[in-house]
Amino acid sequence: MKELREAILKQGFGIGHDIVKVDMFLNHRLDIALLTNIGQAFHEAFRDQPVDMILTIEASGIAAAITTAQAFGNLPVIFAKKSKTTSTLNNDVYEAKVYSFTHRTENYIRIAKNYLPAGSNVLIIDDFLANGEAAEGLAEIVRQAGAHVAGIGICIEKGFQEGGQKLRKEGYRVVSLATVTGIDNGKLQLADALED
Ligand code: 5GP
């Protein structure tokens, strides 16, 4: 997606060899015009199949999930909540364990069962795809609910980490709007756009 690629090149930067910072428009300050276009791009990518709700993970996936939900005609957005502790004693939630790449910690993510009915078609949206832990955890919760993953929409995929390859091999339809292929002295390198 052209505008996203331009924003990444102009306003993003890398830390070390694997952390991408895009606080200027996606992770701290939110560029609403860009986010609106991101939502429309995900709608364009997944409009050929039924989608009943958008599923994401707090906090940084929520903005793109909202604009995607709007592009689909105001679908509900459900965001998984993170916790350091398990809730095995609580029968009212679905839960999955997720290793956080950015914080180097293990978290549990959970969703109240009543928000995710069996048979729902669920589109997963997130800001980044690195090793695929967050998306796998969300897909695991969809599976627990007896619902269906309609697809996985990612704003920025880090092509040098294994998540995209893993999820696609598992059969998920993964659409990334931009792919960072590497970091060279803080400068982000992007894959060529397939179509813009
Ligand atoms: P994964 O679960 O695929 O390993 O990592 C994806 C999650 O970690 C996303 O929800 C995102 O919030 C966070 N994340 C992973 N890598 C980066 C990164 O380079 N920059 C930022 N800002 N977040 C990242």
Side-chain angles (χ1 to χ4, degrees), residues 27-45:
N27 288 142
H28 196 0
R29 175 180 179 270
L30 299 175
D31 181 332
I32 302 303
L34 179 60
L35 280 158
T36 301
N37 290 342
I38 284 173
Q40 282 162 359
F42 284 137
H43 178 247
E44 198 53 47

Side-chain angles (χ1 to χ4, degrees), residues 8 11-12 20-28 128 156 188:
I8 293 169
Q11 300 176 320
V20 175
K21 290 295 271 185
V22 287
D23 284 6
M24 188 65 182
F25 57 92
L26 193 60
N27 288 142
H28 196 0
F128 273 90
I156 305 174
L188 299 174

Side-chain angles (χ1 to χ4, degrees), residues 12 24 64 68 85 99 105 119 130 140 163 192:
M24 188 65 182
T68 306
T85 54
Y99 181 78
T105 52
E140 160 64 18
D192 289 338

Side-chain angles (χ1 to χ4, degrees), residues 18-23 27 57 60 98-99 101-102 126-135 158 161:
D18 57 6
I19 298 283
V20 175
K21 290 295 271 185
V22 287
D23 284 6
N27 288 142
I57 186 165
S60 54
V98 165
Y99 181 78
F101 170 76
T102 38
D126 206 2
D127 60 338
F128 273 90
L129 176 59
N131 292 319
E133 285 276 319
K158 293 193 288 181
Q161 289 179 275

Side-chain angles (χ1 to χ4, degrees), residues 78-132:
I78 295 114
F79 59 90
K81 298 194 177 197
K82 291 179 194 163
S83 169
K84 295 262 168 263
T85 54
T86 180
S87 66
T88 37
L89 293 178
N90 183 351
N91 264 333
D92 298 332
V93 299
Y94 299 116
E95 184 176 84
K97 206 194 244 184
V98 165
Y99 181 78
S100 163
F101 170 76
T102 38
H103 298 109
R104 320 265 179 212
T105 52
E106 218 148 59
N107 281 316
Y108 294 89
I109 60 169
R110 67 178 67 123
I111 291 172
K113 287 184 176 172
N114 52 332
Y115 299 136
L116 198 45
S120 310
N121 297 298
V122 180
L123 177 58
I124 294 173
I125 296 289
D126 206 2
D127 60 338
F128 273 90
L129 176 59
N131 292 319

